[in-house]
Amino acid sequence: MSMESQVRSMSEAMDLRPDWSDLPSELWPKIAKSLHNHVDLVRFRSVCKSWRSSIPSSLPNSPSLFPFQIPHPINPSKFVFLSQSTIYRIESPHQPSSSHKGWLIKLEGQSNPSQSHALRLLNPLSDRKISKSRISSRRILNLLDYRAVELYKSYSLQECGFPIKKVVFFPTSCWSDVNDSVACCIYQEGKLALFKRGDNQWRLVDDLNYYYDDVIVYKGQLYVTDRWGTISWIDTSSLKLIQYSPPLCGFGHKKHLVESCGNLFVVDRYYDSEPRRPYYEASVVNFKVYRLDEEWGTWVDVKDLEDRVFILGNSCNLSVSANDFAGYAGNCIFFIDIFDVRVYNLGDGSTMTLELDPCTSKLFWPPPSWLRI
């Protein structure tokens, strides 16, 4: 085909592209309501005036609602702030879209309404605030300037005064009413508590068992695992636990819940010695991974994650594809071991320390040259 013919074909193809602004107006709200995170909705509203006017600028559950005050889990006469953070895969606008190599960042809204700054940049694993000395003099990060994909939301209780193992909050869609939301936390040695918006205090779930390791929102439900790897889902109305899986009978010291490609996994963490107190973690020597076969109600011993990477952070666990990020290798588990960021290779059982200071891990920080904050 001649160059002239190629140009003519391209022109004809461009002429056949639909004009999205000509869509029937009644379709715009329906399209918008299929988008559940804030960045996608902002992009939707920025297309044109008609699209912008089709949905409200203020949504029932938006990042601006955070942080908000809730009672202290132990002392309901005191209040703490529930803050929200978002993990993004961010790509350079100048990078060819075919490369699909991104960078992992975590942004937290105000941890206290009295604070003046809007966002804080955090290390995705440790949740440590990135020092201002490590970023440029500009402090504005406009996600609309980049190709940004929201991966996960995590939550924490600020100014709580005692260690919290995990906090989750749902529903997280921008369209859900925050007044219908539920928070769940694991604290102290493994107590499980639930808080509904409008309650005066947290309510203990299963006061006979204080050995819960992790909680996750999976398929619109709260799921929790105890120290023996038994997964249950929480009936938020009755505060009852309904057993969902048989006991894993893993001999590790700590169980983590991870959702990956629509499946539920338990990552069993082994220490070199039994932890001597609830918040002390000895050095990690091994991991084992199990997938729950929900159809048969059995556990599958997983030896190969293929291109998946499991990230066990302080406030959330997530699974990403190594092909989507620069510097990552599949079949690996990233985790915090006492004070170090480390990588465990599930294939050969080897462990590598990335950096002594979690804030300077090269896979998470400093940012690439095209990212300037």
Side-chain angles (χ1 to χ4, degrees):
M1 181 182 294
S2 66
M3 179 63 69
E4 182 180 356
S5 299
Q6 292 182 26
V7 172
R8 186 183 303 112
S9 298
M10 291 176 63
S11 300
E12 292 174 353
M14 292 178 66
D15 291 338
L16 293 174
R17 288 184 302 180
D19 186 350
W20 294 105
S21 62
D22 290 339
L23 283 174
S25 58
E26 61 269 18
L27 291 181
W28 299 336
K30 293 182 179 180
I31 295 173
K33 288 187 177 180
S34 67
L35 307 174
H36 297 286
N37 68 69
H38 180 68
V39 172
D40 287 344
L41 284 170
V42 170
R43 292 185 188 278
F44 178 91
R45 298 186 77 249
S46 66
V47 170
C48 64
K49 183 178 180 180
S50 298
W51 287 36
R52 183 163 56 253
S53 61
S54 66
I55 58 175
S57 58
S58 178
L59 296 174
N61 188 356
S62 68
S64 61
L65 296 173
F66 293 90
F68 58 79
Q69 280 190 327
I70 60 176
H72 192 288
I74 291 181
N75 186 354
S77 64
K78 296 183 179 180
F79 289 87
V80 293
F81 291 103
L82 178 68
S83 65
Q84 181 189 79
S85 302
T86 307
I87 296 178
Y88 296 94
R89 176 170 61 87
I90 188 168
E91 298 177 14
S92 167
H94 310 296
Q95 180 179 337
S97 58
S98 59
S99 65
H100 297 297
K101 294 298 183 181
W103 207 259
L104 199 66
I105 66 170
K106 186 171 187 176
L107 296 176
E108 181 188 53
Q110 298 175 169
S111 58
N112 187 313
S114 64
Q115 296 173 345
S116 58
H117 62 269
L119 293 172
R120 299 195 310 169
L121 188 63
L122 305 179
N123 180 282
L125 269 85
S126 67
D127 290 337
R128 291 188 182 184
K129 180 182 176 182
I130 302 297
S131 170
K132 293 180 180 179
S133 63
R134 300 186 185 278
I135 63 179
S136 66
S137 57
R138 294 176 57 197
R139 299 182 185 177
I140 297 176
L141 175 63
N142 186 351
L143 292 177
L144 297 180
D145 293 338
Y146 305 90
R147 290 194 290 266
V149 178
E150 180 180 311
L151 299 180
Y152 202 87
K153 290 187 184 296
S154 66
Y155 300 87
S156 60
L157 295 180
Q158 306 291 333
E159 303 177 11
C160 195
F162 68 97
I164 297 289
K165 283 188 173 182
K166 187 75 171 287
V167 180
V168 296
F169 180 87
F170 86 105
T172 59
S173 170
C174 290
W175 298 99
S176 58
D177 190 342
V178 72
N179 292 316
D180 296 330
S181 60
V182 175
C184 184
C185 78
I186 298 176
Y187 63 99
Q188 290 183 332
E189 66 272 23
K191 294 181 180 180
L192 180 67
L194 201 71
F195 178 83
K196 294 183 178 181
R197 193 72 186 268
D199 288 350
N200 295 321
Q201 62 183 10
W202 292 78
R203 292 181 288 174
L204 199 63
V205 180
D206 187 13
D207 55 3
L208 299 178
N209 187 356
Y210 291 163
Y211 300 104
Y212 291 101
D213 274 351
D214 203 1
V215 60
I216 192 175
V217 178
Y218 175 66
K219 295 183 178 180
Q221 293 277 359
L222 285 170
Y223 288 81
V224 63
T225 181
D226 60 21
R227 196 163 297 177
W228 297 275
T230 303
I231 297 177
S232 304
W233 64 272
I234 305 173
D235 185 331
T236 57
S237 298
S238 63
L239 295 184
K240 292 183 179 179
L241 290 174
I242 293 85
Q243 185 172 333
Y244 189 69
S245 79
L248 176 63
C249 297
F251 297 102
H253 298 94
K254 186 175 182 179
K255 309 293 189 294
H256 303 270
L257 289 172
V258 180
E259 179 184 0
S260 180
C261 301
N263 294 306
L264 193 57
F265 291 78
V266 166
V267 180
D268 205 3
R269 180 187 297 227
Y270 289 74
Y271 296 121
D272 59 359
S273 61
E274 183 72 31
R276 294 190 294 272
R277 56 183 185 274
Y279 312 119
Y280 171 81
E281 292 192 357
S283 182
V284 175
V285 294
N286 191 22
F287 284 99
K288 290 187 177 180
V289 179
Y290 304 90
R291 178 178 59 84
L292 178 62
D293 187 325
E294 299 180 64
E295 182 178 358
W296 295 98
T298 57
W299 289 104
V300 178
D301 189 356
V302 177
K303 300 297 185 181
D304 189 357
L305 299 176
E306 299 180 350
D307 83 313
R308 305 305 296 183
V309 177
F310 284 4
I311 299 174
L312 308 181
N314 281 346
S315 60
C316 67
N317 306 322
L318 66 153
S319 166
V320 299
S321 170
N323 294 327
D324 290 339
F325 296 90
Y328 285 74
N331 201 29
C332 289
I333 299 171
F334 286 74
F335 64 101
I336 300 290
D337 188 7
I338 306 179
F339 300 109
D340 296 334
V341 174
R342 308 185 75 186
V343 182
Y344 179 83
N345 187 307
L346 191 62
D348 59 17
S350 63
T351 302
M352 177 179 66
T353 300
L354 295 183
E355 189 68 40
L356 293 177
D357 180 1
C359 289
T360 62
S361 171
K362 291 182 179 180
L363 289 178
F364 305 100
W365 197 259
S369 59
W370 48 262
L371 179 56
R372 289 291 179 261
I373 301 172

